[in-house]
Amino acid sequence: MNAHIKTALPGPKAQAMIARDAEVISPSYPRDYPFVMSHGRGTEVWDVDGNRFLDFMAGIAVCATGHAHPQVVKAVQDAAAKFLHISSDYWHEQMTGLGERLAAVAPMQTLAGEPAMSFICQSGTEAVEGALKLARYVTGRPRFIGFLGGFHGRTFGSLSFTSSKYTQQKGFSPTLAGVTHVPYPNPYRPLFAGDDQGAAVLDYIRMLFQRSVPPSEVAAILIEPMQGEGGYLTPPDGFLAGLRALCDEHGILLIFDEVQSGIGRTGKMFACEHWGVAPDILTSAKGLGSGLPIGAVIAKKSIMSQWKRGAHGNTYGGNPVTCAAANATLDLVRGGLMDNAATVGDHFLARLRELQKDYSCIGEVRGKGLWIGMELVENDGRKTPATALCDAVITRAYHNGLLLLSCGTSTVRFMPPLSVTIAEVDEAIALLRASLDQALAGA
């Protein structure tokens, strides 16, 4: 199918690397197919056997600017040549500059006109841990509310909220006490009666407040404005605004986890901007550093400034090299890549909806910008998740030269670099069509 695939997959060099790896690396990593990377440029990547692929998973929505963007590479090289580390106990330009950039784009500022401050860390899960600590510190309250299907990380605090797959929690109980999960509104698979699933979920939370969860004890509600690992779900209009009002009514902080959906991925800097709703605290990571490990807790200045000296810290937060990558990334995203995500994303959604007309197994295509989910269903009129078909499509796509990942029960997710072109999307659509045909035929 793809002239760029030169060997059977995995090729001999890839097989050798995988065999070496199995002897020394933890088996806990959820690896989906045997891709062994050699190098990449933009949306294209090559394996160690010289096979070329289109990367439409971007390191799980991490490589925002594409692989090895020259401006990011130059920023990293320049920073590394000066010093590699000094610790967050001290000051340097890259960290302060990043704080200024984040304050300028924070939805607290852009949507609500409130100044923001940031705590810089190394990952999404650490950002969530920091957000939870900040919420508890500021409010003095012990409880939290999270959402079924959410993914917030794998360290103990964040794991307490993660509920996209039970395997992530299996064997690690008990996790953080005081976390109550509620359904995430999903109009395609409604759990409640009525057309407005968002209103129904809000009513469910109100019922909890009356029956079992005293709202005066809830520090924060933690939610992904667009749910990632749970199925690339888009909330109903009005839901996030209703959640904001509910939090304000009870003095509860609203935390948006934008680790995956932020930094231009949805065609706006943060997904919550599509609904004009600002959180009190926001977590960021993944696309923030174009692949270098960095995260951030971004909060209203009135909240973050309540932390006392030594209340929270880390060794590697604000590392000069990773901050340099983040600064370059934000400059590129604001300088055109975010707009490209919106434009190319509209084209991509249109092409997928054209494809949907030819395949009854495509139950729904949803998303914004370059955050797109294609949910596969059985041909039984009941929207039964086609889990095996989804896995087969992902596998066949790999063999055809297209790197994808799944999410939810049976959703193929598309999250290419924000630099992806319309021509690359069209090439991916052709490869996806072939992969669907082969998977449906049992090839």
Side-chain angles (χ1 to χ4, degrees):
M1 169 61 196
N2 188 340
H4 296 287
I5 302 299
K6 303 174 181 179
T7 70
L9 297 178
K13 292 181 180 178
Q15 291 183 46
M17 176 76 74
I18 291 168
R20 288 171 51 205
D21 185 275
E23 296 299 318
V24 293
I25 298 297
S26 168
S28 64
Y29 292 107
R31 289 161 164 172
D32 288 302
Y33 42 80
F35 173 69
V36 180
M37 186 166 174
S38 166
H39 63 284
R41 292 291 182 276
T43 309
E44 299 175 293
V45 294
W46 286 262
D47 73 5
V48 290
D49 292 287
N51 297 301
R52 176 258 194 189
F53 300 78
L54 282 179
D55 182 4
F56 271 54
M57 58 88 178
I60 319 180
V62 166
C63 301
T65 58
H67 292 281
H69 191 289
Q71 191 167 321
V72 178
V73 171
K74 178 70 161 52
V76 168
Q77 290 172 333
D78 289 348
K82 294 178 180 177
F83 61 104
L84 295 176
H85 177 70
I86 187 60
S87 100
S88 54
D89 288 356
Y90 305 99
W91 293 259
H92 58 85
E93 175 58 37
Q94 293 294 349
M95 185 175 181
T96 301
L98 178 56
E100 291 169 341
R101 285 174 172 83
L102 291 174
V105 301
M108 303 82 170
Q109 174 64 48
T110 61
L111 297 177
E114 295 196 38
M117 301 181 79
S118 295
F119 177 91
I120 311 300
C121 54
Q122 290 86 252
S123 68
T125 192
E126 189 188 348
V128 171
E129 297 281 354
L132 298 175
K133 286 181 65 178
L134 179 58
R136 183 172 277 183
Y137 188 91
V138 168
T139 65
R141 299 177 177 185
R143 296 178 185 254
F144 294 91
I145 290 176
F147 286 79
L148 294 171
F151 183 89
H152 302 282
R154 291 183 172 90
T155 51
F156 267 103
S158 62
L159 179 64
S160 306
F161 293 82
T162 291
S163 58
S164 52
K165 295 182 179 71
Y166 77 83
T167 52
Q168 290 152 348
Q169 287 218 13
K170 186 178 181 181
F172 300 110
S173 182
T175 52
L176 183 69
V179 178
T180 300
H181 287 85
V182 302
Y184 190 96
N186 182 354
Y188 185 67
R189 296 189 179 280
L191 286 177
F192 300 98
D195 294 330
D196 193 336
Q197 292 298 295
V201 171
L202 293 171
D203 285 342
Y204 182 82
I205 297 173
R206 292 188 185 97
M207 182 187 69
L208 287 177
F209 285 169
Q210 294 172 354
R211 305 287 180 86
S212 64
V213 181
S216 61
E217 294 184 1
V218 177
I221 294 178
L222 171 63
I223 186 172
E224 297 164 276
M226 295 174 68
Q227 195 174 81
E229 192 76 19
Y232 261 41
L233 303 179
T234 300
D237 290 341
F239 173 66
L240 294 179
L243 200 60
R244 174 75 273 176
L246 188 64
C247 287
D248 291 342
E249 178 184 351
H250 295 286
I252 297 169
L253 297 179
L254 181 59
I255 304 174
F256 283 166
D257 182 339
E258 294 241 19
V259 166
Q260 187 168 168
S261 60
I263 315 300
R265 176 136 303 274
T266 67
K268 293 186 180 293
M269 184 59 67
F270 294 103
C272 62
E273 295 175 45
H274 288 285
W275 295 276
V277 179
D280 299 297
I281 305 171
L282 181 145
T283 61
S284 180
K286 287 194 182 291
L288 180 58
S290 287
L292 269 70
I294 190 168
V297 184
I298 308 168
K300 293 177 179 177
K301 190 173 184 178
S302 60
I303 293 173
M304 183 80 74
S305 61
Q306 294 185 49
W307 255 345
K308 304 303 180 186
R309 181 171 178 263
H312 192 53
N314 55 21
T315 298
Y316 294 105
N319 174 271
V321 179
T322 59
C323 283
N327 285 327
T329 297
L330 287 171
D331 290 345
L332 287 164
V333 171
R334 298 175 75 185
L337 291 185
M338 182 169 63
D339 293 337
N340 186 69
T343 300
V344 178
D346 285 346
H347 174 79
F348 199 175
L349 281 163
R351 290 301 312 274
L352 286 169
R353 287 173 177 144
E354 289 174 6
L355 197 68
Q356 185 178 17
K357 296 174 184 177
D358 297 333
Y359 294 88
S360 60
C361 63
I362 301 178
E364 185 178 48
V365 173
R366 54 183 176 254
K368 294 181 182 295
L370 294 173
W371 167 292
I372 300 174
M374 180 182 76
E375 185 161 351
L376 302 181
V377 297
E378 301 289 354
N379 188 24
D380 58 5
R382 299 167 55 191
K383 297 193 291 191
T384 301
T387 304
L389 176 61
C390 182
D391 292 342
V393 169
I394 299 292
T395 300
R396 290 315 314 164
Y398 158 67
H399 284 278
N400 288 327
L402 177 63
L403 302 184
L404 299 171
L405 289 175
S406 63
C407 61
T409 307
S410 61
T411 297
V412 179
R413 54 176 157 168
F414 304 93
M415 42 187 169
L418 307 188
S419 57
V420 67
T421 65
I422 286 177
E424 289 169 334
V425 165
D426 290 342
E427 181 183 354
I429 289 288
L431 296 173
L432 179 62
R433 181 181 288 273
S435 303
L436 279 162
D437 289 340
Q438 292 164 358
L440 288 166

